[in-house]
Amino acid sequence: MKALFIGGTGTISTAIVKKLAEDPSWEVWLINRGNRSDVVPEGVHQIVADINDEEDVRAKLGDLKFDVVSEFIGFTVDRVESDYRLFKDRTDQYMYISSASAYNKPARSYVITEGTTLANPHWEYSRNKIACEEFLMKKYREEGFPVTIIRPSHTYDERNVPLGVHGKKGFYQVIKRMQEGKPVIIQGDGTSLWTVTFNKDFATGYTGLMGNPHAIGEAFQITGDETLTWNQIYETIADALGVELKAYHISSEYLSAVGDKYGFDFEGSLIGDKAASVVFDNSKLKRAVPDMKTTIRFDQGVRIALDYVLSHPECQVEDEEFDKWCDRVIEAVENSKNSI
């Protein structure tokens, strides 16, 4: 079996590539700009190209054909249209990474299935993913293009700690605030439900769908089975750090309003996604991939991540702008309490 990954070195795809690289039945290829070649396992073939340069990619692919083509960096319709032209005669399965943020939230039922309505008026990223899905499924219905849609939710690895509220430079400043004994902002009252998935568990579900005839023309959400409140997520992180959590709860609507002028898209990431309680029904995936299960609980995964991050200075990206913003927002809320 031969697989091509468009991207292949991100949070999700790295775990999948590593898993397949250890399987002698798979020949693994990547096409990307070569910026993270250090994480590419030995024996994996790499084509260095910009996937947005369609003609250059076509030339470099030559007469190569694949059992599976996996798209991880297709965020807009024009990108998947290009993929369709490039791979419609080159692959038996095209797997597209969409997003669980495409689901309409809050849904009629907090239990999310693949049949839950797709709609997100709050986040352009999610609307673009929906449009990509619609284009690909149209090609499947009209021409038999062998697409499989994958909808991840919040997936993390050893280089990332999942959070609800953080700045443009990522999660680390929140970790630093915890270590310094500062209050950290949690959206809402922290009791909404959320699912986080370690990338190695995600890889089990994904690889089980590769080359699987039952996956063609279908959509699958891939998440772990562990559902936590946001308070539990932050408390687990603080416990792993050995510090006291000083949680400061602020409504998502307020955060969106005061974050907008600083370029923090909390309307999309919170109101359009993390502010709503979600529990994922993974029964469809497990019927297709019986091996799918959670093997790394969040309390285990977050320790793996923190051990790595705190021992690798390059992961400790400070964000002074976000730090000062947190202080100002908390001060403003406290002043408003005292003004009444």
Side-chain angles (χ1 to χ4, degrees), residues 133-297:
E133 286 196 29
E134 290 173 343
F135 169 81
L136 292 167
M137 291 304 294
K138 184 174 186 290
K139 291 300 180 183
Y140 167 72
R141 290 190 297 269
E142 295 181 355
E143 302 176 21
F145 184 60
V147 64
T148 300
I149 304 295
I150 307 296
R151 298 180 188 137
S153 187
H154 205 152
T155 308
Y156 69 107
D157 64 3
E158 71 276 5
R159 298 171 61 91
N160 296 278
V161 177
L163 296 167
V165 181
H166 59 75
K168 288 175 281 189
K169 295 183 179 180
F171 67 91
Y172 179 69
Q173 193 64 44
V174 179
I175 301 304
K176 192 169 186 287
R177 287 180 70 88
M178 288 186 180
Q179 291 176 312
E180 294 174 347
K182 290 183 175 181
V184 295
I185 295 172
I186 300 176
Q187 72 275 13
D189 63 2
T191 62
S192 60
L193 300 173
W194 197 245
T195 300
V196 289
T197 308
F198 202 76
N199 68 344
K200 290 182 179 178
D201 285 338
F202 185 97
T204 298
Y206 189 95
T207 55
L209 294 172
M210 295 180 70
N212 187 330
H214 300 290
I216 303 299
E218 297 288 343
F220 295 87
Q221 55 198 25
I222 302 179
T223 75
D225 295 320
E226 184 181 26
T227 300
L228 303 167
T229 68
W230 278 104
N231 285 335
Q232 289 172 323
I233 289 172
Y234 278 78
E235 286 163 359
T236 302
I237 296 168
D239 287 345
L241 289 169
V243 300
E244 177 189 358
L245 174 64
K246 295 183 179 178
Y248 199 91
H249 296 98
I250 300 178
S251 78
S252 297
E253 290 77 8
Y254 186 94
L255 291 173
S256 176
V258 299
D260 187 58
K261 65 180 179 180
Y262 292 89
F264 303 145
D265 183 16
F266 293 134
E267 180 183 355
S269 65
L270 295 183
I271 299 173
D273 196 29
K274 299 179 181 69
S277 282
V278 291
V279 175
F280 293 95
D281 178 351
N282 291 310
S283 56
K284 180 178 179 179
L285 174 67
K286 291 180 179 181
R287 286 194 298 271
V289 187
D291 290 340
M292 181 61 190
K293 61 182 179 181
T294 295
T295 65
I296 302 173
R297 300 188 313 265

Side-chain angles (χ1 to χ4, degrees), residues 20-47:
L20 289 184
E22 296 170 356
D23 185 342
S25 67
W26 282 96
E27 179 183 332
V28 183
W29 290 71
L30 308 185
I31 185 164
N32 55 40
R33 295 178 180 179
N35 295 333
R36 294 195 66 205
S37 296
D38 57 309
V39 304
V40 177
E42 185 177 351
V44 171
H45 307 276
Q46 191 167 15
I47 300 170

Side-chain angles (χ1 to χ4, degrees), residues 4 31 47 57-64 66 86-87 90:
L4 173 69
I31 185 164
I47 300 170
V57 170
R58 191 186 307 278
K60 289 179 176 177
L61 286 171
D63 60 358
L64 285 171
F66 305 92
L86 283 167
F87 299 111
R90 293 179 183 270

